[in-house]
């Protein structure tokens, strides 16, 4: 079987003559096949250069014709241009073309018009498929490496939603990012439209639907002070927030994750990006939920998936409180059995109250170490879980803990990002203010808020020192005084 490839400019008369002759041969010879490649005149020169360089050919005009070696493989056998093809057809098949020059020109014009219409139609079809644009900052972090398969396998956004992932980091990590791109492409996810590397900050967040902030500032008191760390967080957010405002879509969702200053990053993005909707910026606390559920499951010798409604209050990457007062167990092996949806309160099932008040609290210190030193799988799962809930609702009745901007709920001071119980529904979240909390828990929340208000005050002070005069001064002295009045008494 002979298979010929005929390629040329859409408006080339000689390409028109060659393709019609090839069509005639295919229609009249049982073992002859032709594949036609039409290129726009503006793209032809570059395309011809690339195909010739790839195959080691010398050819400089339209059309170019070669024979595919179907049975033997290889790069194909170059025939040449239209005259070479006419000679080939005459020699092997005794057929030639008698097309006149005027006919060639007319067909070439028709070819160009048809090419433009087909290209326009294809662009319209592509425009109907709009993948979610997901940007991940500090993309060289292990969390990003673990997160990409979770986002691309269809479980987060649905099996009909395509995504494009953009990896943002500094130029020194470009090689790492290119390696991540290569692996992601090799995995051939059906919903991953594209994945790309970005090291130029000015190009960040273009048309972003989702921004996942993974940047970390590691706090080491032996090296630098808390104030210096907060200044670094402020500097990062001062770069990101205006770019998100400028380049991202108006309904962009921003997720703060990582190991340090998760709440503060979310708050500073709101501060530096006032047009970003505050309800679209959240901090992820799901890692703590998962780790606490696993601890309880080990104690009760059951599956961790059966532990529900554990609440994480406070500073996700600082002082927080694991609240079991609303936690429930499903499928627990005990004296009382019920259907699969029959819950048992955790506090009723753990009869050893000393373990709850001493060992579990001590275990939280161990949890802190495990959550902050994990290699990336746990925080990646946490981000993916929150995104799935945001787009497809949290399970009915379940409590989810995320850091959100406070409006005085549970008597927590306004204007800080504080982890509290929410429920996701119809693409939005709502704080579950109907939950009852004890006086003891309320006192704990007041102490937890102290750390976050202090972080905010330090950050606002740094902003004022950077912009002491003029419109760039974000926070006035009166604002600082009002913030001081919201500080809870006591230490965290």
């Amino acid at each position: 079987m002979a298979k010929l490839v005929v390629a040329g400019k859409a408006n080339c008369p000689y390409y028109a003559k060659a393709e019609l002759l090839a069509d005639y041969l295919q229609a009249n010879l049982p073992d002859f096949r032709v594949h036609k490649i039409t290129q726009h005149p503006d793209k032809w020169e570059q395309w011809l250069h690339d195909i010739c360089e790839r195959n080691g050919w010398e050819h400089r005009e339209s059309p170019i014709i070669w024979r595919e070696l179907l049975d033997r493989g290889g790069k194909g056998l170059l025939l040449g241009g239209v005259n070479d093809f006419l000679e080939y057809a005459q020699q092997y098949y005794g057929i030639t073309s008698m097309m006149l020059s005027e006919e060639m020109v007319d067909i070439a014009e028709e070819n160009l018009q048809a090419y433009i219409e087909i290209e326009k139609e294809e662009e319209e079809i592509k425009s109907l498929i709009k993948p979610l644009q997901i940007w991940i900052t500090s993309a060289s972090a292990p969390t990003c490496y673990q997160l990409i398969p979770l986002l691309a396998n269809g479980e987060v956004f649905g099996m009909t939603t395509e995504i494009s992932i953009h990896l943002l980091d500094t130029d020194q990590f470009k090689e790492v990012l290119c390696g991540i791109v290569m692996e992601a492409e090799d995995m051939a996810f059906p919903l991953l439209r594209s994945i790309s590397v970005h090291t130029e900050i000015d190009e960040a967040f273009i048309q972003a639907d989702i921004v996942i902030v993974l940047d970390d500032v590691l706090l080491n008191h032996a090296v630098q002070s808390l104030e210096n760390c907060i200044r670094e967080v402020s500097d990062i957010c001062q770069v990101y927030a205006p770019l998100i405002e400028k380049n991202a879509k108006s309904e962009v969702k921003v997720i703060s994750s990582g190991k340090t200053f998760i709440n503060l990053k979310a708050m500073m993005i709101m501060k530096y990006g006032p047009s970003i909707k505050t309800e679209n910026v959240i901090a992820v606390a799901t890692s703590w939920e998962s780790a606490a559920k696993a601890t309880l499951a080990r104690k009760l010798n059951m599956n961790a998936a059966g532990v529900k409604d554990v609440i994480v209050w406070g500073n996700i990457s600082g002082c927080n409180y694991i609240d079991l007062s609303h936690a429930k167990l499903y499928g627990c092996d005990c004296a009382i059995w019920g259907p699969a949806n029959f819950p048992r309160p955790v506090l009723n099932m753990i009869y050893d109250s000393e373990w709850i008040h001493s060992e579990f609290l001590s275990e939280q210190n161990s949890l802190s170490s495990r959550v902050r030193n994990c290699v990336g799988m746990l925080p990646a799962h946490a981000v993916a879980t929150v995104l799935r809930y945001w787009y497809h609702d949290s399970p009915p009745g379940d409590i989810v803990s995320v850091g959100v901007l406070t409006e005085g709920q549970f008597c927590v001071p306004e204007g800080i990002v504080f982890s509290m119980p929410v429920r996701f529904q119809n693409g939005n979240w709502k704080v579950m203010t109907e939950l009852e909390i004890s006086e003891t828990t309320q006192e704990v929340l007041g102490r937890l808020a102290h750390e976050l208000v202090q972080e905010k005050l330090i950050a606002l002070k740094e902003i004022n020192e950077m912009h002491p005069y003029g419109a760039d001064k974000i926070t006035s002295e009166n604002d600082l005084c009002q913030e001081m009045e919201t500080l809870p008494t006591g230490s965290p």
Side-chain angles (χ1 to χ4, degrees), residues 136-182:
I136 305 176
T137 71
S138 192
S140 61
T143 299
C144 176
Y145 184 83
Q146 302 285 349
L147 179 60
I148 290 173
L150 300 178
L151 298 178
N153 65 12
E155 293 183 5
V156 173
F157 304 107
M159 297 305 296
T160 59
T161 302
E162 293 190 351
I163 65 172
S164 291
I165 297 177
H166 304 267
L167 308 179
L168 178 66
D169 213 319
T170 58
D171 193 61
Q172 71 181 99
F173 295 108
K174 187 173 183 179
E175 187 175 346
V176 175
L177 300 186
C178 289
I180 295 174
V181 168
M182 181 184 67

Side-chain angles (χ1 to χ4, degrees), residues 170-353:
T170 58
D171 193 61
Q172 71 181 99
F173 295 108
K174 187 173 183 179
E175 187 175 346
V176 175
L177 300 186
C178 289
I180 295 174
V181 168
M182 181 184 67
E183 285 197 56
E185 290 175 341
D186 289 346
M187 294 179 75
F189 293 107
L191 298 175
L192 182 59
R193 171 71 71 86
S194 64
I195 180 168
S196 54
V197 171
H198 302 268
T199 57
E200 297 295 330
I201 191 63
D202 293 339
E203 302 174 357
F205 314 125
I206 293 176
Q207 291 299 301
D209 293 289
I210 299 168
V211 175
I212 302 171
V213 181
L214 299 180
D215 297 71
D216 274 320
V217 175
L218 300 182
L219 178 58
N220 188 340
H221 292 290
V223 178
Q224 58 182 333
S225 65
L226 175 64
E227 288 76 9
N228 288 336
C229 291
I230 291 177
R231 184 183 294 113
E232 287 188 41
V233 175
S234 180
D235 291 343
I236 291 170
C237 297
Q238 187 180 16
V239 173
Y240 287 166
L243 287 171
I244 294 173
E245 285 187 304
K246 177 184 176 183
N247 296 336
K249 295 178 182 177
S250 59
E251 295 294 328
V252 62
K253 293 177 169 59
V254 182
I255 291 184
S256 174
S257 185
K259 298 180 179 179
T260 59
F261 299 103
I262 298 176
N263 298 55
L264 183 63
K265 284 186 294 187
M267 192 201 70
M268 297 309 295
I269 286 174
M270 298 178 199
K271 197 74 175 178
Y272 283 116
S275 69
I276 302 172
K277 295 183 178 181
T278 56
E279 65 269 23
N280 284 359
V281 182
I282 63 175
V284 176
T286 320
S287 297
W288 285 92
E289 277 188 23
S290 300
K293 290 174 181 178
T295 302
L296 293 168
R298 284 194 298 271
K299 173 67 174 177
L300 296 167
N301 192 27
M302 61 176 291
N303 191 330
V307 185
K308 304 287 186 181
D309 299 344
V310 173
I311 301 175
V312 180
W313 298 94
N315 190 350
I316 298 166
S317 51
C319 293
N320 55 48
Y321 171 56
I322 308 297
D323 183 3
L324 303 182
S325 60
H326 297 275
K328 303 179 185 67
L329 304 177
Y330 292 84
C332 180
D333 186 7
C334 62
I336 300 177
W337 280 81
N341 61 349
F342 177 70
R344 298 299 305 272
V346 167
L347 295 180
N348 288 355
M349 298 302 297
I350 301 178
Y351 299 103
D352 187 356
S353 59

Side-chain angles (χ1 to χ4, degrees), residues 374-485:
C374 59
V375 295
M377 189 181 302
L378 181 59
H381 177 266
V383 171
T385 299
V386 169
L387 279 172
R388 185 172 72 252
Y389 292 165
W390 211 340
Y391 278 83
H392 298 289
D393 298 350
S394 53
D398 280 16
I399 297 173
V400 183
S401 300
V402 295
V404 299
L405 189 67
T406 56
E407 298 178 351
Q409 304 97 328
F410 302 106
C411 298
V412 174
E414 295 184 25
I416 59 175
V417 174
F418 195 87
S419 179
M420 57 180 63
V422 305
R423 180 176 291 126
F424 288 91
Q425 191 172 12
N426 299 326
N428 301 302
W429 53 263
K430 181 181 179 181
V431 177
M432 301 177 66
T433 53
E434 69 276 11
L435 291 181
E436 296 183 2
I437 59 175
S438 65
E439 292 184 5
T440 302
T441 300
Q442 188 65 67
E443 292 176 3
V444 172
L445 299 190
R447 294 197 299 270
L448 294 175
H450 183 275
E451 180 183 54
L452 289 168
V453 175
Q454 280 188 319
E455 283 186 3
K456 180 180 179 180
L457 291 179
I458 294 171
L460 296 180
K461 180 181 177 182
E462 297 297 335
I463 293 173
N464 279 351
E465 289 179 354
M466 292 168 58
H467 306 289
Y469 306 106
D472 288 336
K473 184 174 180 179
I474 296 179
T475 306
S476 67
E477 296 298 328
N478 290 335
D479 292 335
L480 281 176
C481 291
Q482 291 177 5
E483 296 290 346
M484 288 296 295
E485 291 175 0

Side-chain angles (χ1 to χ4, degrees), residues 362-374:
S362 175
E363 184 72 5
Q364 287 190 42
N365 294 327
S366 175
L367 288 178
S368 174
S369 176
R370 291 173 59 177
V371 171
R372 291 170 184 154
N373 295 321
C374 59

